Amino acid sequence: MKKNLNLPMKKIFILSVSILVMYCSKGGDVPNESLASSTPLSSNTEESSTNDSSDTNETSDTEETSVSEESSNNGQTSSSGEIVNTSGIKILDISGGCTNFVGNGPKGEWFNFVEGSQEEAHAHFIFTANDGGILQVGETGFLDNNTAKILVAKTDGTGNLIWKKEFGDPGHNLGNSIIEVSDGYIITGSINKDSFIVKLDKLNGKTIWSKTNDNGGMDAIEHIVETPSGLVGIGYVNATDENNTFYTEGEGYITFFDSDGNKTSGKIIDPQMSQAYRIYRVNNNLIISGLTPGAEDYVLMKTKLNGEKDWIKTYGGDNKDHCFAMDISSDNSIYLSGHTLSNVDNWDSYTMKIDLDGNKLWEKKRGNPRGFDPKYIHDEVWDLKATNDGGCIIVAGTGDEYTYEGTCSQSKDISNVWQVYLIKFSSSGEIEWDKTYAPEGGADWAGEAIDLSADGGAVVAVDNSQFGILKISSIYK
């Protein structure tokens, strides 16, 4: 990791033999220092392996269809009114004390988690399926010591495990995103530093097909979309910072596949897009977001379905602006979010709304919701979803990356204990509410991804050294 870039550490979890006391990896844009990893957790999954092959694209995978007793019942309420699950984890109400929340945010309904076979597990994407299930994808293990495997898990709507699968022998493997198609789920990432997509059966997670492509140097697919002619994936090639998967200092790349996952063509997207992060289809166009070279600014591009450029534009201020989140609203407006150092005390959330011609309609920065010294607080956005009322909701982690360790005299809150942070925006950019979520006992939580649920709430992928799932009640006023 090149620290002079002041880059975040979204998917980097550096194994340290000297520091094994933290409950989870707190993520983080780290201007002055890096982080150690969290305490390893045990796993009881059973494995059967096959040889990885670029021809057959077989991978080692792990399947588990049983659910442990400790995670089989959720949403129980204790006598004190706090929401718990059978693992004993209580979701605390952080309101009051020194907080400066806007509005009255929703409660956390329940929390559950899935473990992988390696030390720790960290999800980067969460998805609510058409059948009401919840899917997550990420890694179990670590990149820097070549123990990482792709982990995909599906639970029911209350977080009880249905199945989970692992791909790749322990090594440098990444799980990045999920989409649902009519007859399966498409998972993106990389196997042994080459771009990887796999199609899984919805019922049991069995592999329908998997494809690995060496698109150039170290490369990966970050996100994918279905089109009338097949699939289009975006990501990066020729990465130079191989353990820094949130921004790898490579070149943005677009790959075209047929409906069976076979690559038909691919190309560098544009010199202005150093890494592509999200792609969506709007009518007969593709909308692609990512980061500029050096992770200096947000970058957004509109193309035809064949990848022919319509326009490309950048957004940001006079310092680092890191774009990791995009979604499209029902009126085809584009929401972007991430975090910024431009004209703020430290990393703050940075959200904007853009029309289909690339014109910025509004932008909003927000940070330090817990009321500590803002010079020491990071608010790092990793995902957003457009909401049914025309607005959007963003998910972040908020906490202290330094030796500041601020406290609040009116509560037990401590700045260096990280919390999940949600902000709900209206279509006009007003903050309707924001709120943080944390477990009893002072363990670190950070929000990694978010999706909407059919009941008007949301599900959040929580970085707690496992595939944490936090269910949020209705997000609408």
Side-chain angles (χ1 to χ4, degrees), residues 266-286:
K267 63 180 182 179
I268 301 294
I269 294 175
D270 188 275
Q272 295 183 76
M273 187 170 290
S274 182
Q275 184 159 327
Y277 240 80
R278 292 289 177 259
I279 181 170
Y280 291 102
R281 178 187 168 197
V282 178
N283 301 320
N284 292 318
N285 298 287
L286 300 173

Side-chain angles (χ1 to χ4, degrees), residues 2 15 53 68 121 130 165 170 181 205 207 209 219 250 275 290 328 331 381 383 431 456 460 468:
K2 298 186 178 178
L15 186 62
S53 168
S68 62
N130 291 336
K165 305 286 283 186
V181 294
T207 298
W209 52 252
D219 54 277
Q275 184 159 327
I328 311 294
D331 67 354
V381 176
D383 200 11
I431 296 177
V460 174

Side-chain angles (χ1 to χ4, degrees), residues 55-109:
D55 294 325
T56 62
N57 295 296
E58 293 178 343
T59 59
S60 65
D61 62 29
T62 302
E63 180 180 7
E64 180 169 313
T65 55
S66 63
V67 181
S68 62
E69 285 187 21
E70 67 178 5
S71 61
S72 61
N73 296 302
N74 293 291
Q76 298 179 358
T77 305
S78 70
S79 59
S80 65
E82 294 167 309
I83 304 299
V84 303
N85 65 23
T86 53
S87 66
I89 298 174
K90 297 180 180 180
I91 305 168
L92 299 181
D93 185 354
I94 310 298
S95 302
C98 300
T99 62
N100 55 8
F101 296 149
V102 175
N104 185 22
K107 292 184 177 180
E109 291 185 352

Side-chain angles (χ1 to χ4, degrees), residues 250-270:
E251 300 171 277
Y253 193 81
I254 185 168
T255 311
F256 297 88
F257 305 92
D258 64 21
S259 58
D260 293 320
N262 300 303
K263 180 180 176 179
T264 58
S265 65
K267 63 180 182 179
I268 301 294
I269 294 175
D270 188 275

